Amino acid sequence: MANAIVVGAGVIGLATAWELSRRGWSVTICDPAPASQATRAAAGMLAPAAEVVWGQDALYPLMRDSAERYPEFVARIEARTGRPTGYLRNETLVVGLDSADRQTLDELAAQQTRFGMRAERINALQARRLEPALGRGVVGGVHLREDHQIDPRTLTSTLLEHLGERVRRARVVSLLEEGGTTVGVVLADGSRLRAEQIVLATGLAALPETAHLPLRPVYGDVARLRLADPARPLVDRTVRALVRGRPCYVVPRADGSLVLGATSREDARSGVSAEGIHQLLEDGRRVVPGILEADLEETMARARPGTPDDLPVVGRLDAGAVVSTGYFRHGILLAPLAAAVAADLVEGRGIDHDIQQAVDPGRFAGAPAATHHRSPRGSHA
Ligand SMILES: Cc1cc2nc3c(=O)[nH]c(=O)nc-3n(C[C@H](O)[C@H](O)[C@H](O)COP(=O)(O)OP(=O)(O)OC[C@H]3O[C@@H](n4cnc5c(N)ncnc54)[C@H](O)[C@@H]3O)c2cc1C
């Protein structure tokens, strides 16, 4: 049986390991702290429509492709493991709090429609009919029926449980190379593992061999809230909002908890920002006032692995190694596509030309690492 090592057990590494083992590969996954980084913080919005923003035409087809793969991806995992993935096909509302927000949402809805998504503009009354808990300041918005969600913690714990002893809790410090080809990895304790193919899915963390990739941390603060009576959820849909141009969202989980997110900071502070959480609660309460009745269960900050053009970095490093990282705000959504593309590369199969062009690691050759990229307005996750 062919064997592979996947370095990194975030959503990307785990989905890739799952896909490879489904295709008959013997897979070892190395990570000292599986699913502890960006994946742990993520809200899990699967939002190909709401995440459409100007100037990201190459990203949109990837988001739509991956969203279409989701039902089969989770059905296979649930059938094979007998465990849940936390996938919910509930809808999304995007609402605005003043006329400028409303105008931005109208323009985005036009863009979403141009890309073939169902984006229905709704007024304040229609929005409140759908979600009676919306705040009085909501002036209207957009109803997106095809943007769903998954709980990344449920998904990754199911995959980790399934992969079991194939997960080695160890840090990879470098790659083993012979004659210019990667043939294995070196672990922090000095031991060496060999395999025919290595997939590097370490998110933001670079190995010496990937240090040239222009990844940058975009921190996000996020809060988890719990209502006293989980049988009576505040909202049935994910509610995303622009509050005076600032994005925020409330994602209702099946267990009655809520995810309130997220800030977007490039200030190199890895701790939870008090100002960030204050801003989320302040904006969130204007969108769904009832959140202030919930218990504040957890606050967290993690870095999204950003790239200069907001597109992932997936491709061959050499005949023995494939890199798959840079999923920025969309790694949960893009996981099924990422897994399929990395597995195709591992197996030496061709991948779709447009996808290959969009994610090619070579596109940054000679370009300076991005340090001052501005996040596009209207982007939330
Ligand atoms: C606040 C927030 C909200 C988000 N919301 C959404 C959302 O709603 N929808 C969406 O699609 N995306 C969302 N994202 C983005 C998403 O979380 C990321 O794109 C995705 O989790 C990236 O996954 P990853 O596996 O590449 O990286 P990570 O989750 O960061 O995993 C990388 C793994 O590699 C391991 N690792 C690192 N170095 C080594 C090494 N040397 N050896 C072994 N292992 C190593 C780490 O321990 C870690 O487990 C959000 C992100 C944040 C921060």
Side-chain angles (χ1 to χ4, degrees), residues 126-373:
Q126 291 167 315
R128 250 185 292 282
R129 269 199 206 117
L130 291 170
E131 291 295 350
L134 288 178
R136 280 188 310 197
V138 167
V139 295
V142 183
H143 186 187
L144 302 170
R145 295 172 194 266
E146 287 153 16
D147 278 9
H148 306 306
Q149 63 149 304
I150 194 163
D151 183 342
R153 295 182 182 184
T154 308
L155 171 67
T156 52
S157 79
T158 288
L159 288 175
L160 279 168
E161 169 93 12
H162 173 70
L163 294 163
E165 288 174 2
R166 283 171 281 174
V167 181
R168 277 191 69 159
R169 292 185 182 251
R171 191 164 70 86
V172 168
V173 290
S174 64
L175 303 183
L176 263 182
E177 188 218 301
E178 278 173 13
T181 296
T182 301
V183 294
V185 299
V186 182
L187 303 181
D189 66 3
S191 57
R192 294 161 174 233
L193 298 180
R194 297 177 74 93
E196 285 157 49
Q197 290 289 319
I198 317 295
V199 179
L200 302 174
T202 52
L204 260 180
L207 290 166
E209 295 80 357
T210 54
H212 63 284
L213 296 173
L215 299 173
R216 72 184 199 289
V218 180
Y219 288 94
D221 304 292
V222 66
R224 282 174 168 77
L225 311 173
R226 187 167 293 278
L227 295 158
D229 182 359
R232 296 180 56 210
L234 267 183
V235 286
D236 292 321
R237 295 164 184 78
T238 291
V239 178
R240 306 173 65 130
L242 278 183
V243 182
R244 297 214 177 97
R246 276 191 307 270
C248 80
Y249 52 74
V250 176
V251 181
R253 290 277 193 250
D255 67 358
S257 63
L258 300 167
V259 182
L260 172 65
T263 60
S264 207
R265 311 184 267 112
E266 300 199 38
D267 56 6
R269 283 175 51 199
S270 60
V272 179
S273 157
E275 186 190 357
I277 296 296
H278 173 258
Q279 187 193 90
L280 288 178
L281 286 167
E282 188 53 36
D283 290 347
R285 99 179 156 79
R286 300 186 63 198
V287 181
V288 182
I291 62 167
L292 292 190
E293 287 162 29
D295 293 342
L296 181 56
E297 277 202 325
E298 180 191 286
T299 58
M300 172 174 276
R302 289 289 185 271
R304 307 167 181 92
T307 61
D309 56 9
D310 297 346
L311 285 157
V313 179
V314 195
R316 270 217 167 271
L317 292 178
D318 62 46
V322 166
V323 66
S324 180
T325 185
Y327 290 89
F328 196 29
R329 302 177 187 279
H330 309 112
I332 311 299
L333 168 61
L334 293 176
L337 176 65
V341 168
D344 283 349
L345 288 169
V346 161
E347 296 192 314
R349 295 175 194 229
I351 57 173
D352 177 271
H353 177 73
D354 291 344
I355 294 179
Q356 189 265 325
Q357 293 277 301
V359 303
D360 181 8
R363 71 191 186 274
F364 302 122
T371 51
H372 48 265
H373 174 92

Side-chain angles (χ1 to χ4, degrees), residues 3 17 30 33 57 60-61 102 112 125 139 175 184 193 208 318 325 380:
N3 65 352
C30 299
D57 293 13
Y60 178 69
R102 178 72 212 248
Q112 287 151 354
L125 191 64
V139 295
L175 303 183
L193 298 180
D318 62 46
T325 185
H380 305 239

Side-chain angles (χ1 to χ4, degrees), residues 366-379:
T371 51
H372 48 265
H373 174 92
R374 197 174 55 84
S375 294
R377 190 166 190 251
S379 185

